[in-house]
Amino acid sequence: MLVDHGIIFEISRLRQKHYRLGKLKLKPLIDDYCKDKDIKSPSVSHIGKIIKRNNLFFQRLKSYHDPARKEYTRKKKQRVKNAPKPTVGGYIQADTVETFVLGTKRYTISFIDIKLKAAYSKTFKGKLSKYALETFREFQEVLPASIRTVQTDNGSEFEGLFDQYLSRHSIKHVWTYPNCPRINAVIERYNRSIQEEWMEGYLHEIDDTIQFNKRLKEYLYFYNNLRVHESLG
């Protein structure tokens, strides 16, 4: 059957632009084209035969590769196999607690020196590396020790800006293996304490992170200066 060359060209044009379009989805588009040109439109099955007969099969265009662009290289993570037992301060564990209250989600990012038991937390509306960095820098200002190592899980908040900051300041960043909370035992215990002793009593204020963080600082003063820590004797 003779086919108008314009129809073949139009099918080819549409298939190149939208390479996943099959004969059923092409049919109304070809109908419009034929109506505009005042020619008879092929049937669905005929469009399928036109595609096969003229080999109108195309693939997605590959993105342009700029040879000057630096390729992204995934950083190899140094993993921690066993729970650390430092003899001096400066080894930090970090973690994030996600809290849901009446459809509201909040993230409390925490750091603790596993030898000194000095801790710091801050609550945010998002889970971004800039928030982890903000919390960490505030923690640095109050910690009575020089930070040498920071141990985190594989959360995205501990990548990006946070990891870059540690590298620039020659602070070692180590990661735990997935599903190994025992390696992060100190921060996990701190998370439990802060939730049971304080957070659960102020969840009605968590929507307002400014007010919530004011309350949190009051608890942190108590935790770091007045609260009894059996592990410290």
Side-chain angles (χ1 to χ4, degrees):
M1 180 183 294
L2 293 177
V3 181
D4 188 287
H5 287 291
I7 294 176
I8 298 175
F9 177 82
E10 182 64 8
I11 293 174
S12 177
R13 184 188 71 82
L14 290 169
R15 292 273 294 177
Q16 287 185 64
K17 188 175 182 181
H18 309 285
Y19 70 101
R20 300 281 297 187
L21 282 184
K23 55 187 179 181
L24 286 172
K25 289 184 171 61
L26 282 170
K27 173 61 175 169
L29 300 175
I30 297 301
D31 286 346
D32 289 342
Y33 170 82
C34 292
K35 183 178 180 180
D36 184 61
K37 298 295 183 180
D38 195 24
I39 56 179
K40 184 179 178 181
S41 180
S43 65
V44 172
S45 60
H46 194 184
I47 292 174
K49 291 177 182 178
I50 293 172
I51 292 172
K52 290 182 180 179
R53 195 175 298 146
N54 295 276
N55 196 31
L56 302 181
F57 299 99
F58 305 96
Q59 294 182 348
R60 182 179 62 178
L61 292 175
K62 295 183 177 179
S63 58
Y64 168 71
H65 172 68
D66 182 1
R69 182 180 177 183
K70 186 177 179 180
E71 291 290 333
Y72 170 77
T73 53
R74 184 179 293 275
K75 179 179 179 179
K76 186 176 181 180
K77 296 180 177 180
Q78 182 176 343
R79 303 286 185 178
V80 181
K81 295 182 179 180
N82 301 301
K85 297 179 180 179
T87 56
V88 295
Y91 194 113
I92 310 302
Q93 287 185 348
D95 196 19
T96 301
V97 172
E98 296 186 9
T99 306
F100 299 86
V101 179
L102 298 176
T104 297
K105 184 187 293 186
R106 293 291 182 263
Y107 303 89
T108 301
I109 301 173
S110 299
F111 296 90
I112 189 169
D113 186 303
I114 61 177
K115 177 62 178 178
L116 305 179
K117 299 299 185 289
Y120 191 81
S121 301
K122 198 166 186 178
T123 299
F124 299 91
K125 295 181 179 180
K127 187 181 179 182
L128 303 174
S129 62
K130 67 177 182 179
Y131 297 147
L133 177 56
E134 177 182 326
T135 309
F136 180 74
R137 295 185 69 176
E138 292 178 9
F139 178 53
Q140 272 188 301
E141 292 178 3
V142 299
L143 183 69
S146 178
I147 297 177
R148 298 171 288 101
T149 305
V150 177
Q151 175 181 310
T152 72
D153 60 16
N154 300 278
S156 58
E157 69 272 30
F158 300 121
E159 303 286 349
L161 295 175
F162 178 80
D163 183 58
Q164 293 166 20
Y165 177 85
L166 297 185
S167 296
R168 286 198 307 271
H169 291 80
S170 301
I171 299 173
K172 187 177 181 181
H173 187 184
V174 295
W175 287 263
T176 61
Y177 284 96
N179 303 316
C180 290
R182 61 180 178 78
I183 301 176
N184 248 8
V186 177
I187 190 70
E188 294 286 349
R189 185 64 185 87
Y190 168 75
N191 285 339
R192 178 180 166 187
S193 295
I194 197 174
Q195 290 178 85
E196 293 179 351
E197 295 180 8
W198 179 81
M199 189 178 290
E200 291 178 359
Y202 291 93
L203 291 179
H204 61 286
E205 296 183 1
I206 200 170
D207 185 55
D208 184 350
T209 53
I210 296 177
Q211 173 64 21
F212 194 73
N213 281 318
K214 286 182 179 178
R215 298 277 197 186
L216 179 52
K217 283 188 176 181
E218 294 173 2
Y219 174 78
L220 290 172
Y221 178 83
F222 166 77
Y223 183 90
N224 288 318
N225 297 283
L226 303 174
R227 184 183 184 276
V228 173
H229 295 274
E230 294 181 15
S231 62
L232 297 177

